[in-house]
Amino acid sequence: MLRWVSPAIRALVLGFVVSLSISGVGYAQTPPAVVDSSASVIDEVLRRGGELELERRWAEALVHYEKALREHPSQRQLEERCTLSKIHYDLGRRYHDASFLDATRTMSEKDALGLYSEVLLKIQHHYVDNLDWKRLVDRGTRALDEALIDPIFLERNLPGIDPQRILRYRQDLRTSFSTRRVADRYEAQAAVRAASALARQQLGLAPAVVVFEYTCGAANYLDEYSAFLTADQLNEVYSQIDGNFVGLGVELKSGDGSLEIVGVITGSPAAKGGVLAGDRIIAVDGRSTENVNSDEAADLLQGPEGSTVEITLRRQGGTHTVRLRRQQVEVPSVEDIAIHDKDFGIGYFRLTCFQKTTTRDIDAALWQLHRQGMRSLIMDLRGNPGGLLNSSVEVVDRFVSRGTIVSTRGRDPREDYTYSAHDQGTWGVPLVVLIDRDSASASEIFAGAIRDHRRGVIVGERSYGKGSVQGIFPLGFSRTGLRLTTAKFYSPSGQPFARVGVQPDVLVPELARPTGLDGAEGLSLDAAGATEVDPALAAALRVSRQQMASRATKTAE
């Protein structure tokens, strides 16, 4: 089992899904803001969300409702619409996943029920909270009920069927399950077996199809971070951990009838082909992307190593086509290494994620800056969604010489652990850490430890507020897996991160985060330019200079 900390960010790097996390420090929800929660505001949110739902733009609807819930927590209507959007979003992802389709087509009823049983067993032994078995089955029933009105599910499994037959089955299912006793996992298995038998009798629906909906329903709705992983999704998680994959090396989001490229990995096929952040993909191999979401784009753009794909890009009103060859892409966890102020020796780098290679990358960056005359350091964790728990601990250990780094606590006592720092290999360089509302999970472990140990100054915005650890459990059927929240984590001072985050010492709100050091939207090495383009970086530079001036004064005394 791997331990991972990463929030649910709905973007895609071709070759792995950025939003997946591995059993360490898990996803997070942005702390609730104090805003106007009048009925008119909620009504407008629901109106816009309803439009997205009618257009079946479930990914956008889900992001829309999640954002609204961060600003208006505990709004039942928003919670309900968010749950509904997540069900259809998850279903759409599964039914555009070749490995999932293969499993539903080939898996027997016995094996499907065996998979469901294994998932329940993992949940029983490892999930962080106590279980309500009745509620767990009800979540699966809800997932199946929504699937039976989803065109993607119907086209695949029940083409041309009389809608009245589906309606009768849904009614019978709700009636029989509303009062059904489910006190343990054995009774949960019996309930799903009964739902499967009824679906086969009334609809001719393959048992594995029904059981998979209950399996996904049980896992995906425990909390916002737990989920059933198809074989392809599990492989994507491992690629994210390892920091490499086969693909083009672009990060996408869908909207406005095209796919916007929000990031390009340095040295990737896309970067070598001249693709830029901000470009919009309007066609893939001649197929329009007007009605394609980011998950469907993965199917279009992914392929075996060495194969090619032709993409048509729109940039500043013009269009052009490029042909790219899919290759192994190494994902750097440290970028933009530079000295920002030669007079004060202020080093800088951006830490993009916490993966297996991060500690190695950090060490290389520190020694590179040291050789260039670094006397203080700015670490930029803005937009860093997290990653491996052990990786975040190792990075903290590079800057903190002793004491607690982070503690985890779970329902299973084996999840209770305190990670401590070691004096050997510690860098004593003055430190400033940049964070924002998208710095989550492993990023918060790092920032929280630096803050609590008074090892550096935290600059920027309050962080995401994720405080749970996920484990990745491979399953014994169809190479699938389970991402499961197993514990919660706490700062060295014992404070939780969930829905709280890390509060900066120097608050600098940002409307937009720069994407890198190069290009029109990049950070400027020039202090005046940094003030204009990136106020948080400018504030960090001021703090670093103050640290150096203070240190010089103490030395003189």
Side-chain angles (χ1 to χ4, degrees), residues 8 142 145 150 182 221 249 291 325 373 375 408 417 473 485:
R142 173 73 187 279
D145 188 66
D150 192 297
V182 183
Y221 311 113
N291 296 310
R325 186 176 300 277
R375 289 183 286 140
T408 62
Y417 195 81
F473 301 87
T485 298

Side-chain angles (χ1 to χ4, degrees), residues 112-127:
L113 288 168
L115 174 64
Y116 183 68
S117 175
E118 186 179 5
V119 167
L120 294 185
L121 188 62
K122 297 291 188 187
I123 292 172
Q124 181 177 357
H125 286 172
H126 299 285
Y127 188 60

Side-chain angles (χ1 to χ4, degrees), residues 95-286:
Y95 275 85
H96 284 96
D97 184 318
S99 66
F100 177 79
L101 296 177
D102 182 63
T104 58
R105 183 176 60 254
T106 60
M107 188 175 285
S108 67
E109 179 180 15
K110 178 182 177 181
D111 285 348
L113 288 168
L115 174 64
Y116 183 68
S117 175
E118 186 179 5
V119 167
L120 294 185
L121 188 62
K122 297 291 188 187
I123 292 172
Q124 181 177 357
H125 286 172
H126 299 285
Y127 188 60
V128 65
D129 293 327
N130 292 322
L131 295 174
D132 181 336
W133 292 103
K134 168 66 172 171
R135 189 178 179 195
L136 203 67
V137 172
D138 286 345
R139 286 173 175 145
T141 302
R142 173 73 187 279
L144 177 60
D145 188 66
E146 290 295 336
L148 287 167
I149 61 172
D150 192 297
I152 295 175
F153 180 91
L154 296 175
E155 181 180 350
R156 180 76 187 185
N157 299 299
L158 296 169
I161 193 170
D162 182 358
Q164 290 301 314
R165 290 176 60 189
I166 296 176
L167 179 60
R168 282 194 296 271
Y169 173 76
R170 294 174 64 208
Q171 291 172 339
D172 290 347
L173 187 66
R174 285 194 293 263
T175 300
S176 61
F177 272 54
S178 61
T179 58
R180 187 181 181 113
R181 179 180 182 272
V182 183
D184 55 35
R185 64 184 176 91
Y186 300 104
E187 292 183 350
Q189 291 169 231
V192 172
R193 189 179 295 109
S196 173
L198 187 64
R200 179 168 49 188
Q201 175 188 346
Q202 294 190 7
L203 302 175
L205 196 57
V209 171
V210 174
V211 177
F212 264 117
E213 290 307 310
Y214 274 94
T215 302
C216 295
N220 293 11
Y221 311 113
L222 287 167
D223 56 57
E224 59 263 56
Y225 311 124
S226 298
F228 173 79
L229 301 175
T230 69
D232 285 352
Q233 289 170 346
L234 183 60
N235 288 334
E236 288 166 354
V237 169
Y238 291 142
S239 293
Q240 184 183 358
I241 297 167
D242 293 336
N244 64 76
F245 62 91
V246 172
L248 303 180
V250 295
E251 184 181 357
L252 303 175
K253 70 176 181 180
S254 59
D256 299 326
S258 63
L259 296 165
E260 181 183 356
I261 297 175
V262 296
V264 180
I265 295 174
T266 303
S268 68
K272 294 175 182 177
V275 179
L276 302 176
D279 288 350
R280 291 185 175 274
I281 300 177
I282 60 175
V284 177
D285 285 332

Side-chain angles (χ1 to χ4, degrees), residues 257-494:
S258 63
L259 296 165
E260 181 183 356
I261 297 175
V262 296
V264 180
I265 295 174
T266 303
S268 68
K272 294 175 182 177
V275 179
L276 302 176
D279 288 350
R280 291 185 175 274
I281 300 177
I282 60 175
V284 177
D285 285 332
R287 177 182 168 182
S288 172
T289 61
E290 183 174 1
N291 296 310
V292 173
N293 62 38
S294 58
D295 295 304
E296 294 171 314
D299 291 335
L300 296 174
L301 294 172
Q302 285 178 328
E305 186 172 6
S307 61
T308 60
V309 62
E310 187 175 85
I311 59 175
T312 302
L313 301 169
R314 185 172 68 226
R315 180 188 301 169
Q316 297 178 345
T319 63
H320 70 285
T321 299
V322 296
R323 179 168 290 276
L324 304 175
R325 186 176 300 277
R326 300 176 180 95
Q327 297 175 348
Q328 192 78 22
V329 177
E330 298 293 329
V331 184
S333 57
V334 177
E335 296 182 346
D336 303 335
I337 306 167
I339 296 291
H340 271 231
D341 188 320
K342 293 183 179 180
D343 293 336
F344 284 87
I346 301 174
Y348 168 95
F349 60 75
R350 186 162 60 94
L351 184 57
T352 62
C353 61
F354 290 85
Q355 58 194 28
K356 281 186 177 180
T357 63
T358 297
T359 305
R360 180 198 69 192
D361 295 344
I362 288 280
D363 288 342
L366 289 171
W367 283 109
Q368 176 181 331
L369 291 170
H370 175 72
R371 289 191 293 269
Q372 294 174 1
M374 175 183 68
R375 289 183 286 140
S376 67
L377 175 65
I378 298 171
M379 286 182 61
D380 193 342
L381 272 69
R382 290 175 295 176
N384 185 320
L388 290 170
L389 174 60
N390 286 344
S391 177
S392 66
V393 169
E394 290 171 358
V395 175
V396 173
D397 204 13
R398 291 297 186 272
F399 299 96
V400 175
S401 60
R402 61 180 60 87
T404 297
I405 292 175
V406 66
S407 300
T408 62
R409 299 290 180 267
R411 183 166 57 92
D412 185 340
R414 289 174 295 183
E415 294 291 339
D416 297 351
Y417 195 81
T418 297
Y419 297 83
S420 299
H422 308 86
D423 186 60
Q424 185 177 3
T426 303
W427 288 75
V429 60
L431 186 63
V432 176
V433 180
L434 276 167
I435 61 173
D436 66 4
R437 69 190 72 177
D438 293 324
S439 303
S441 197
S443 297
E444 294 174 292
I445 288 177
F446 180 83
I450 297 301
R451 175 199 63 191
D452 283 7
H453 285 286
R454 303 180 68 84
R455 176 59 184 82
V457 179
I458 312 300
V459 176
E461 298 178 292
R462 183 171 59 174
S463 64
Y464 197 75
K466 179 192 180 295
S468 61
V469 178
Q470 279 69 53
I472 296 297
F473 301 87
L475 301 173
F477 295 86
S478 297
R479 308 183 311 279
T480 55
L482 182 66
R483 182 176 67 236
L484 198 62
T485 298
T486 59
K488 298 177 182 179
F489 63 87
Y490 301 85
S491 74
S493 63

